[in-house]
Amino acid sequence: GFSESMKGQMSGDDTHSIFRVLTAAGLSEDEVAAQMRTIEFVGQGTITTSLYFCISVLALHPNVQEAIRREPEAIDRFIAEVFRVLPPSTDQGRIVTENLQIGNLAIPRGTKFTFCQYALNRDPNHFLNPEKFDIDRPNLLHNPQLIPFSVGARDCPGKPLALRVTKLVISRILEGYRIEAATKLESLDALLKPFTLMAVRFYLRET
């Protein structure tokens, strides 16, 4: 789950961690090399987007900035809640490899489908008041419904690196700066729209 990603994969050397995950999955050296290239080039965009979302949310919620400064461990819940509301990827495509029966729905092998993380992460059956941004949301780090990247055999191999970089950068920013929004948004959903730019101001904190 998200908690294991934050705690288990946030420690140690990320390159070695990713390499172990890929080789343990049975990938050949060529396949591992291809995945590492994907992480290097595509992952930069994911990390940039994640940091943009986190900084924008902090600018809009100064009370959350103070909460994390008072309780540094709260940064894990903050990042999880940002990724719940603003997932780095809003949907994923898959191909069914065997016949499935989900309730009354029969899904034949070979079916192509898309699942929407944006919708899953806002399901009111799993998240109370899903439109509200709340880092104190119950069971946030242990909710299996929270799928900001992906899950299972096709989980994002760059997730450990993205989480580590996001946590490190946001922690350092909050240590030295206070962030204020210079742009008004109707809702956080606006950040998911193309060409929406969130302007923020950074102020040195008095020590």
Side-chain angles (χ1 to χ4, degrees):
F2 196 87
S3 177
E4 288 71 22
S5 297
M6 292 297 293
K7 296 178 180 179
Q9 300 197 50
M10 293 287 286
S11 59
D13 184 273
D14 291 296
T15 301
H16 291 165
S17 298
I18 295 169
F19 182 80
R20 285 195 297 269
V21 169
L22 295 176
T23 53
L27 273 66
S28 67
E29 289 188 4
D30 288 342
E31 290 171 327
V32 170
Q35 289 291 336
M36 296 301 287
R37 286 194 294 271
T38 299
I39 292 169
E40 179 180 359
F41 295 107
V42 180
Q44 293 180 22
T46 301
I47 291 172
T48 301
T49 300
S50 300
L51 289 173
Y52 170 61
F53 286 162
C54 286
I55 292 171
S56 298
V57 172
L58 286 171
L60 294 166
H61 294 82
N63 59 313
V64 174
Q65 297 182 48
E66 293 306 318
I68 296 174
R69 292 189 186 103
R70 290 193 305 269
E71 182 190 351
E73 294 78 11
I75 194 169
D76 288 350
R77 301 197 305 273
F78 165 72
I79 294 174
E81 181 68 349
V82 170
F83 286 170
R84 183 191 71 81
V85 178
L86 301 167
S89 176
T90 56
D91 56 76
Q92 296 280 335
R94 293 290 186 269
I95 299 177
V96 178
T97 58
E98 59 184 49
N99 295 328
L100 291 178
Q101 185 73 35
I102 303 177
N104 296 324
L105 179 64
I107 306 176
R109 176 182 177 181
T111 299
K112 297 179 180 180
F113 73 98
T114 298
F115 68 91
C116 180
Q117 288 129 293
Y118 175 88
L120 289 172
N121 294 343
R122 298 189 183 214
D123 186 344
N125 294 316
H126 297 275
F127 299 100
L128 184 64
N129 298 321
E131 302 303 320
K132 179 183 178 182
F133 185 86
D134 182 9
I135 67 171
D136 295 320
R137 186 176 298 280
N139 200 36
L140 181 59
L141 292 176
H142 304 281
N143 192 328
Q145 187 78 5
L146 179 60
I147 309 174
F149 291 88
S150 187
V151 70
R154 298 293 298 175
D155 199 0
C156 175
K159 179 168 62 177
L161 179 62
L163 291 173
R164 185 177 181 87
V165 171
T166 300
K167 184 173 182 177
L168 176 62
V169 172
I170 296 302
S171 296
R172 294 295 183 266
I173 288 175
L174 289 176
E175 286 176 4
Y177 296 91
R178 175 173 55 86
I179 311 171
E180 288 187 3
T183 302
K184 292 184 178 180
L185 298 178
E186 294 181 1
S187 70
L188 292 179
D189 282 353
L191 294 171
L192 293 170
K193 298 178 181 178
F195 310 116
T196 296
L197 295 178
M198 175 71 188
V200 301
R201 298 187 179 97
F202 291 84
Y203 297 93
L204 282 172
R205 293 182 63 218
E206 295 182 1
T207 57

